[in-house]
Amino acid sequence: MAKRNLTLQLDEEVITSTKVIAVQRGTSVSAMVAQYLREIAQDAERYEYAKQQALQLMANAEGHGGHIDWRREDLYDRGERRYA
């Protein structure tokens, strides 16, 4: 994939501390920023995929053809509680 430059404006303190961290990790600030942005993009893609899958499952309501035939009370044990 082709690479392009990106200009960022950061506080001097952030730049200084980030350069120190990059040296400690044996990498560059540019590589750290690129990795972070890649992770954000991948997280967004995974979230969107999971969201679409969940919406599809809800639309199909597995085995119910999209129709919900249960009541709220059916989901909880509302039987008599006994206390010792």
Side-chain angles (χ1 to χ4, degrees):
M1 182 176 287
K3 294 187 179 189
R4 294 177 42 195
N5 288 330
L6 173 68
T7 302
L8 300 173
Q9 291 184 350
L10 302 169
D11 293 332
E12 191 65 40
E13 300 83 30
V14 172
I15 294 170
T16 302
S17 61
T18 306
K19 284 182 177 182
V20 171
I21 294 168
V23 168
Q24 291 170 343
R25 294 182 180 182
T27 189
S28 66
V29 172
S30 180
M32 287 173 40
V33 170
Q35 179 61 33
Y36 178 68
L37 295 177
R38 253 191 314 277
E39 290 171 5
I40 290 173
Q42 289 170 350
D43 287 349
E45 288 172 7
R46 282 192 298 267
Y47 173 82
E48 190 58 36
Y49 176 78
K51 176 182 164 186
Q52 293 304 319
Q53 293 290 86
L55 289 172
Q56 184 65 41
L57 286 171
M58 288 188 287
N60 293 340
E62 291 197 35
H64 295 285
H67 174 70
I68 296 174
D69 60 356
W70 43 263
R71 298 173 306 151
R72 181 177 182 270
E73 294 79 21
D74 296 336
L75 301 177
Y76 299 94
D77 178 14
R78 299 288 187 193
E80 182 180 330
R81 295 189 181 188
R82 298 177 188 206
Y83 297 96

